[in-house]
Amino acid sequence: MSESKLAGQFFDAAIGLLQRARDEEAANIADAGSAIADTVAAGGRLFAFGAGHSSLAAQDVVYRAGGLALMNLLAVPGVVGVDVMPATLGSALERVEGLAGAVLDSSPAKAGDVLVIISLSGRNALPVEMAMNARALGLKVIGVTSVAYAEGTKSRHASGTFLKDHCDIVLDSKIAVGDAELTHEGIEAPFAPASTVVTSALMQATMAAAAEQLVERGIEPPLLRSGNVDGGHEWNGRVMTEYGDRIFFRH
């Protein structure tokens, strides 16, 4: 079978977006890495939040081989994935005002911690209020979003603002409104979203920047090893024991 023209076009589109993110967001990625390193060095905790498919990039840096052991998922029931039934409920919950405050108030997050909020559109009440409330509690907020949505759509929050308006640092994924890279004759809807690829890359680049910052300060980054490599479980056990009071995904 000959290679797929559309598959190749998707790779080209994704690579182009990754190159833009690398080049245009380099300074912001470095700033985000520094913020995370500052928090690790100061004894603080790290949290990541995303709703719907944006949660995939948040989960990708939690309890991950090669990842920082201190990154915790700030989970909002019903919006973490498409496993909720019906799946459309997750989208509806993103628009519920007050939910973010209730989750933050019952979480272990406190002043001095870092919260990474991932939302492609950044327009729904949940990520907007999550950022607003987190900053009010004294957390540093890193937003990973598509700035294009703030220019091409209307906010669904009462304030009329977007996630990007309530962050200390913003990482722009460069994804166009609609999150579909391809069109083709005979196919009515645009297709092939690339937001997960780019957003996950931004997250991993930020984690790499944080590790770089830590080692430059003489601090061993608290990284996890693969449990499928000899000695991995023993290594992870030591890391989790040493940093146990800042790791919440094992309780």
Side-chain angles (χ1 to χ4, degrees):
M1 182 179 291
S2 60
E3 65 183 52
S4 167
K5 177 182 176 182
L6 291 178
Q9 288 179 1
F10 174 76
F11 277 112
D12 290 342
I15 289 167
L17 286 164
L18 288 168
Q19 289 176 329
R20 284 190 62 198
R22 179 193 64 191
D23 297 341
E24 298 172 20
E25 297 302 303
N28 293 328
I29 290 168
D31 288 345
S34 293
I36 289 172
D38 288 343
T39 301
V40 172
R45 291 85 60 79
L46 309 173
F47 298 89
F49 163 76
H53 287 93
S54 289
S55 72
L56 296 173
Q59 294 179 62
D60 193 45
V61 294
V62 176
Y63 187 51
R64 182 65 190 262
L68 288 174
L70 306 190
M71 184 60 75
N72 301 278
L73 184 68
L74 185 65
V76 177
V79 307
V80 175
V82 293
D83 56 336
V84 62
M85 291 295 291
T88 50
L89 175 60
S91 297
L93 289 173
E94 290 185 60
R95 304 175 192 179
V96 174
E97 297 189 10
L99 182 56
V103 169
L104 271 174
D105 289 344
S106 60
S107 80
K110 62 182 182 181
D113 294 343
V114 163
L115 173 59
V116 183
I117 300 176
I118 305 168
S119 174
L120 178 62
S121 72
R123 70 192 291 232
N124 288 309
L126 187 54
V128 171
E129 291 186 354
M130 189 72 78
M132 294 172 70
N133 290 354
R135 291 179 89 185
L137 289 172
L139 280 77
K140 177 157 281 191
V141 176
I142 299 169
V144 187
T145 187
S146 170
V147 173
Y149 275 82
E151 300 165 352
T153 68
K154 292 183 179 180
S155 170
R156 286 183 174 138
H157 187 252
S159 67
T161 60
F162 288 75
L163 168 61
K164 73 174 187 64
D165 300 316
H166 305 284
C167 298
D168 297 287
I169 301 165
V170 174
L171 304 181
D172 181 6
S173 64
K174 318 295 179 183
I175 300 295
V177 174
D179 190 19
E181 295 302 315
L182 302 182
T183 58
H184 188 68
E185 184 178 355
I187 301 176
E188 292 296 322
F191 55 100
S195 59
T196 304
V197 173
V198 180
T199 304
S200 292
L202 285 168
M203 290 297 292
Q204 293 297 349
T206 298
M207 298 303 109
E212 181 179 26
Q213 285 278 337
L214 285 166
V215 77
E216 286 178 357
R217 303 178 197 191
I219 299 172
E220 174 70 24
L223 297 169
L224 296 173
R225 290 181 180 267
S226 171
N228 295 313
V229 173
D230 290 344
H233 285 299
E234 291 77 12
W235 171 281
N236 293 342
R238 289 192 297 271
V239 171
M240 289 188 180
T241 297
E242 181 176 353
Y243 294 94
D245 60 335
R246 298 152 74 181
I247 298 172
F248 302 101
F249 50 75
R250 56 192 301 231
H251 301 302

